Every structure is written in structure tokens, then in C-alpha cells.
Amino acid sequence: WFIFITMTTVGYGDISPDTNFGRFFSVLACFLGILLASLITATLNVLLRFTPAEDSGIHVMYREMARIKMKEHAADIICLWWRRRRGGRLSRMQMRPDVMHELTTKFNRERNKSNVEVDDLVSMSVKIEKIYHMTRSAELNINRVTAELWGPEATWEEEDGDSATAVDARD
């Protein structure tokens, strides 16, 4: 009972160890309880975290919802403008002088939310991999052009890590 209460960090204090051996195991039980609680918390955090693909999907859904709201606000702005222009019947809210400004502000807010690019929504590892493939493709193209200009004996070498120049193997 004492070990269970100690490991769950409740610690009623109704039972306590009297010997050094018991105190040692009590301290050990305290540390194991803290370790067990932190491991459970960390495991749940990892299990409940979205994968990069899920996170991107959620952001795409938010962007699409913002586009839908943006269209609704645009329709409200056009309807209000048309009713005011034609002198049609307006509700109390539509008669307020600042309602057009409010609708325009809402429209602009949703437009900013919907302008997020899909490339901005992917995870960092996907971006790094994309940059790696682009760099590798550029390197292969440079080697191909070098071989065409200086022949197959030419190699591509870096000087001091700053710039790269074509070096003819015959020199």
C-alpha cells in the first residue's frame, strides 16, 4: 500500500518506513513514480500528435473553409452595395454606416487566411527532401553541361568550399 501511494505521488503519510532499507525503497519508489508518470505523459503526447501529412491536411481544410467564408463575405458586400445603389429595403444592420467597412474587414481577413500556399503547409522534413532533390538535380545538370563544354575528362571540383569551377583533367 505504501509503495503504491508513493508511486502515484498521493503520499497520505499514514504509513512511513522505519529502517534505512525501507527508506531507500521509498525513495526509489518516489523516483520510479515520477518516471512512470512522465513516461505516460510523453507517450500520450507522441500518440496524440498529428503526423506531418495530417497536419498539412488540417491546414488545407482551414484554408478551404476560409475560402468559403470569403465567398460568403463577398456575396454580402455585393448584396449590400446593390441594395444601397438601387435604394432597396435595408435592415437595421445594413443601414449602419460602418457595416460596409466591417464586411470588407471580414473579407480581407478571410482572404489572408486563404492565401496560404500548399508548400507552406508541408512539414520541414518534406521541404528539406525537396531542396535535396532540387540540389541533386542541379548538380547533375552542371556535370552534364561541364562534360559537354570541356569533354568527358573534365570534372567539377570545389575551391575553398565557396565557389565551384570546371577543372580540366588534362591540365
Side-chain angles (χ1 to χ4, degrees), residues 49-107:
R49 183 175 292 154
F50 291 125
T51 64
E54 292 171 334
D55 201 29
S56 295
I58 288 170
H59 287 296
V60 168
M61 287 187 335
Y62 285 146
R63 184 186 67 184
E64 293 306 314
M65 288 187 329
R67 285 186 180 172
I68 291 169
K69 287 181 183 178
M70 182 180 70
K71 289 177 184 178
E72 291 171 359
H73 293 311
D76 290 341
I77 290 170
I78 292 170
C79 288
L80 180 61
W81 174 82
W82 186 253
R83 285 184 181 164
R84 285 183 177 177
R85 185 173 183 273
R86 288 186 52 207
R89 185 177 173 143
L90 298 173
S91 68
R92 284 187 182 175
M93 186 199 75
Q94 292 172 338
M95 284 191 248
R96 289 189 357 233
D98 63 335
V99 75
M100 185 63 85
H101 175 72
E102 288 176 12
L103 288 174
T104 305
T105 303
K106 289 179 184 178
F107 174 80

Side-chain angles (χ1 to χ4, degrees), residues 3 6-9 27-39:
I3 296 296
T6 304
M7 286 184 75
T8 57
T9 66
V27 169
L28 184 66
C30 289
F31 286 126
L32 286 177
I34 293 170
L35 179 69
L36 184 65
S38 63
L39 284 175

